[in-house]
Amino acid sequence: MSLFRSFATRGRPWMPHLTVLAISLLALLPFLQNPSLPAGTDAELHIFRLVELSRLVRAGILYPRWAPDFYFGYGYPIFNYYAPLAYYAGLALDLLPVIGPVAAVKGIFIFSILLGGWGMFGFVRDLWGDRAGTVAAAAYLYAPYLQYIDPLARGVLAESLAMGLLPCGLWALARLWRRPSRPAFIAASLVTAAALLAHNLMAMIFGGLIGGWLVWVLLFEQVEGRRPGRLLLAFALGIGLTAFFWLPVGLERQAVNLSTLVGERGSHFSYDSHFLSPAELLAPSLWLDWGATEPAYRFNLGPAQWILGALGLLLLAAQRLPIAPAWPGNAAARWSQPLFFGLSALGLIGLMLPLSDAVWSAVSLLPFLQFPWRLLGPAAACLAVLAGFAA
């Protein structure tokens, strides 16, 4: 750390950014050193969908809602019901002369990881400085769910992109609150919209997390001269910009059988079959058997992540609360950010445990998440902020 501080104090403001880039490249190593994409994962499905979208766009249908070649030529309304951003981002690469659909999908995985590290660094750096931002970026990118499970073991393109956009959405809205301006308002609205368009199910979680953060900030970080209406309007505009997608989904939900997304209790697609134990959440990751066709892995938080997060909570409980220069509000502003993300982390972890069964049964939208361990991604973001606070 002394070496890090010496670089920062010698007129090298780019050094933390270079450090975060190195952290990101290390997380990207499996994609950079291996050809193609992980086999036997959902990545193959995303290639097919990108190929279909590319064919339709080249034919002049710029926003198709129907995939005519799917299901043996009978067609399928995948583009009407599945969040489109990941495929349009891949399309921007696929339309280039020398990049095909496989490389385009791989490029979006790489872009998502870079985006997540950059967004988390920016959000936490503005709160507590470069060192905190760097630690938070490392804690986020190296969380097992973000580094291995989502991109490599599951190959879920849209969810990986959503996890990259979540900290960017928080960062954009925080900047608008700190230094309001027209460019900041536009950026906050667009990044919020992008985060919601990346993945259907994560949009519900992100909407709740970011919306809760907005309410929290307005309650505890009021500063003279700041207008809460602008912040709320940017969030509302971000939701409104995505209406072209979610409004047809809502109006036409009776045209398809959405009940198949929620399995019978005890079945594979039922949430109660995928609760995690505290021991699994806190355990270290398994060594991978590279000779296995499907290597076993744990749905865990990552020891470094939960230890640093717990340290942040302990420091908060001990009231060793540094004044964040980016939030020069009342005394409550000193503890509001770590407290919000600490409570959010505890809430998300609780929803992954069997004790939350009654909550999943009571909230009608929650069973559509199918797997409670999906919350490992948002929980990793909250723990990363606490890790930065601990730094």
Side-chain angles (χ1 to χ4, degrees), residues 40-289:
T41 69
D42 286 0
E44 299 169 10
L45 299 177
H46 298 301
I47 295 170
F48 299 150
R49 293 171 184 176
L50 177 58
V51 169
E52 181 75 344
L53 177 64
S54 179
R55 190 188 71 83
L56 293 170
V57 170
R58 293 172 194 269
I61 307 173
L62 299 182
Y63 189 71
R65 295 185 179 273
W66 185 261
D69 296 314
F70 284 8
Y71 277 81
F72 304 101
Y74 288 100
Y76 189 67
I78 181 67
F79 299 123
N80 192 65
Y81 292 95
Y82 198 91
L85 183 62
Y87 303 123
Y88 276 91
L91 180 66
L93 297 175
D94 182 58
L95 292 177
L96 296 175
V98 296
I99 299 180
V102 176
V105 169
K106 190 173 187 178
I108 299 306
F109 275 118
I110 291 173
F111 175 71
S112 301
I113 293 173
L114 292 171
L115 202 61
W118 177 68
M120 184 58 71
F121 169 73
F123 176 66
V124 176
R125 179 197 59 182
D126 287 354
L127 287 171
W128 301 301
D130 289 333
R131 179 169 55 186
T134 304
V135 171
Y140 189 56
L141 288 182
Y142 294 159
Y145 191 76
L146 273 83
Q147 186 187 23
Y148 174 71
I149 295 175
D150 248 10
L152 298 174
R154 299 180 63 214
V156 283
L157 182 69
E159 190 171 323
S160 295
L161 179 60
M163 295 313 307
L165 284 165
L166 171 59
C168 294
L170 287 168
W171 187 20
L173 288 165
R175 286 236 157 179
L176 175 62
W177 180 239
R178 266 194 335 274
R179 292 193 292 271
S181 65
R182 184 173 297 176
F185 178 86
I186 295 173
S189 301
L190 292 178
V191 177
T192 299
L196 298 178
L197 278 178
H199 190 265
N200 297 44
L201 301 178
M202 285 295 105
M204 296 191 299
I205 305 301
F206 292 175
L209 186 63
I210 296 177
W213 178 84
L214 287 174
V215 173
W216 188 273
V217 165
L218 296 178
L219 286 175
F220 295 110
E221 297 186 5
Q222 284 288 351
V223 179
E224 186 178 353
R226 293 182 184 171
R227 289 179 283 181
R230 184 177 297 180
L231 192 62
L232 295 174
L233 181 60
F235 182 63
L237 182 59
I239 297 175
L241 289 173
T242 64
F244 71 90
F245 168 69
W246 57 259
L247 190 59
V249 172
L251 295 176
E252 299 171 13
R253 64 185 182 277
Q254 303 300 330
V256 293
N257 187 10
L258 293 177
S259 63
T260 57
L261 298 175
V262 182
E264 295 290 333
R265 192 170 180 85
S267 66
H268 176 71
F269 288 108
S270 176
Y271 64 87
D272 65 295
S273 300
H274 299 279
F275 283 124
L276 303 175
S277 67
E280 184 173 11
L281 280 170
L282 302 180
S285 297
L286 297 171
W287 287 99
L288 294 179
D289 180 3

Side-chain angles (χ1 to χ4, degrees), residues 8-29:
T9 55
R10 291 177 186 173
R12 293 182 173 90
W14 45 266
M15 195 62 191
H17 298 273
L18 192 61
T19 305
V20 173
L21 177 60
I23 290 170
S24 303
L25 290 176
L26 189 59
L28 285 169
L29 199 58

